[in-house]
Amino acid sequence: SLQDGLASAFKSLRGKGKLTESNIREGLGLVEQTLLDADVSFSVVQEFMKKVTEKALGQRVLLALNPSEQLMGVVHEEMLELLGKGEDSFDLKKGFNVLMLCGLQGSGKTTTCGKLGKYLQDKKLKPMLVAADLQRPAAIEQLHVIGKQLGIPVYSEGDHKDPVKVCQNAIAKAKQEEIDVVILDTAGRLAIDEELMQQLKEVDRKVMPDQVMLVVDGMTGQDAVNSAGAFNKALELNGVIMTKLDGDSRGGALLSVRHVTGVPIKFLGTGEHLNSLEYFRPEGMAGRILG
Amino acid sequence: KKEGRLIDDEFLSELFAILVKTDMGAGPANTIRNRLRKDFRGRVVEMEELLGVVREELKILLEQPETPIELVSEGPTVILVVGVNGSGKTTSIAKLSQMFIDRGKKVVLGAGDTFRAAAVEQLTIWADRAGCDIVKGKEGADPASVAYGAVAKAIETEADVCIIDTAGRLQTQTNLMEELNKIHRVIGKQIEVAPHEVLLVLDATAGQNAISQAKGFSDAAECTGIVLTKLDGSAKGGVVVPIRQQFNLPVKYIGVGEGNRDLLVFQSNEFVDALFE
Ligand SMILES: Nc1nc2c(ncn2[C@@H]2O[C@H](COP(=O)(O)OP(=O)(O)OP(=O)(O)O)[C@@H](O)[C@H]2O)c(=O)[nH]1
Ligand SMILES: Nc1nc2c(ncn2[C@@H]2O[C@H](COP(=O)(O)OP(=O)(O)OP(=O)(O)O)[C@@H](O)[C@H]2O)c(=O)[nH]1
Ligand SMILES: [Mg+2]
Ligand SMILES: [Mg+2]
């Protein structure tokens, strides 16, 4: 672990007087390597290391009796600062709400729509899931199966080609049926696909969801800065949900997404089952990223 | 005459950044940087020249024969497709079957994902589009029995290729890796050297975790190659470099879109050039 790495890097210096700047830089090299190994994007690591280096070369680490722990403390603090506050509730405005989920192909949007539906249902709200992915084979069917498992209504239209129309019709129906929250499942798309990003902007503009959330795969590597940046630029995200964190991926992409969008992390997906949704706890993720 | 730059630490840091951003990992990027520092120290070169050196060795490392999958002369060639959730397995199977059908081969598909919502429906739509047979089991059926049924059907109908889909799973899910191992063994009982190919489907947006995926899936199901998907995006997929170095697992095909003809045979030259674009 990084903690052990720093401890052994500085161990040989004990008793030889105080640490030098070059000793600290060796420790900083280990920190940088750890972050890159954890899949934090290169430019984000650079920015992060600037802040850490400034603090690390100060009195606190240089003159400490336990420099490796002090350096670890600096890194930990900077990371918690970047990750932002944890959540212990999901804030919806009073009355009727529309949530829209978007992201790259296969990131876990459809499943997460189901999980959010269950979460709201457990909070005694009436959700409706909307099958606005009109492109992937059996995407509509997938959402219907999920809705049926949860006893949550699913709105879909058989032969529509326009996701805007489907969403608008869904919302109209939801209001008639006293639904509290409408959750829009959109098709996965590449951030560099101009036509599909334009389509998403159209949905956002015409449907005006109260919250737009980016669903990011927990094993995403360096590309996280590119895709998150592009989606945020197109839609002004309200939140991020990171999925598939039940595996052994370090999840460094979370730091990249935070750095490039500044948007809060609302939830973490921790399994395929519809109850596998957790609030974001920064301490847990910091420890995971730092290994 | 173009002016080069002195190979100093700043120059090598720029190179390191380019390499890391491909997702090859800090370790391999460092190894390359250190070796170039040793071989080129104090010389004046263009960044292009240095990258050219790196390109060449990566092209050689990642080289693959022209025909990634050789069909066997007797009986169906059985291909098992595995990988983590959402990586592109089902869609890649659609592409592979279309590719074989375009070559006049007879294909049978096995809908081995008996777990995920509408997984069988999804593959069935692709089978209908390609015009090939598909073997399904009841919902929640043992995937090994579906695999068995698909291979049996392929033998019985003298199909050339049998491709078996499996549910997405994480390499850390021990019971699910056990299940994959069982599917592999069941197929092997029907046709001695089958499955002839076990393709690990890797998402090009994946970072270093792909290495853990390669290890886990290879241990469970003896992978023979990789299908690297979503290369039509901005992700580079450079993690296949350490995977090739550590497991000698080659990339056989790349996915470049969501349609059933968006599959290309892996060409190491083009792939490596794209890494540095
Ligand atoms: N292990 C695990 N699997 C997940 C998680 N979230 C989603 N999945 C799985 O990931 C795969 C993809 O999920 P989908 O919900 O279909 O993803 P999507 O973003 O809607 O995909 P597209 O619509 O094709 O872009 C499925 O196998 C899901 O069961 C998670 O938190 N953990
Ligand atoms: N752009 C792009 N999208 C792809 C590619 N391959 C697959 N996809 C998309 O990725 C998403 C997931 O593909 P699937 O084939 O369902 O993935 P899977 O591995 O079978 O998923 P699970 O069975 O849920 O684990 C779908 O939206 C596909 O259209 C590719 O090469 N390029
Ligand atoms: Mg979906
Ligand atoms: Mg599938």
Side-chain angles (χ1 to χ4, degrees), chain B residues 89-90 113 116 122 165-166:
Chain B
K89 299 176 290 300
T90 304
D113 180 352
R116 207 209 68 212
Q122 184 188 4
D165 195 7
T166 59

Side-chain angles (χ1 to χ4, degrees), chain B residues 178-231:
Chain B
E178 264 302 298
E179 178 184 84
L180 208 54
N181 187 265
K182 178 176 171 201
I183 295 170
H184 190 269
R185 278 180 285 129
V186 162
I187 295 170
K189 288 215 181 80
Q190 278 172 296
I191 296 178
E192 207 180 331
V193 291
H196 304 89
E197 296 282 343
V198 178
L199 298 178
L200 173 64
V201 179
L202 270 193
D203 190 328
T205 66
Q208 297 305 296
N209 190 256
I211 298 176
S212 166
Q213 293 174 27
K215 169 134 196 23
F217 280 87
S218 290
D219 287 349
E222 300 177 25
C223 301
T224 58
I226 289 171
V227 177
L228 187 63
T229 63
K230 310 179 196 173
L231 269 178

Side-chain angles (χ1 to χ4, degrees), chain A residues 20-37:
Chain A
T20 67
E21 185 172 309
S22 120
N23 300 143
I24 304 282
R25 287 196 185 278
E26 179 183 347
L28 291 172
L30 277 181
V31 176
E32 181 180 87
Q33 170 105 19
T34 299
L35 294 174
L36 290 174
D37 287 345

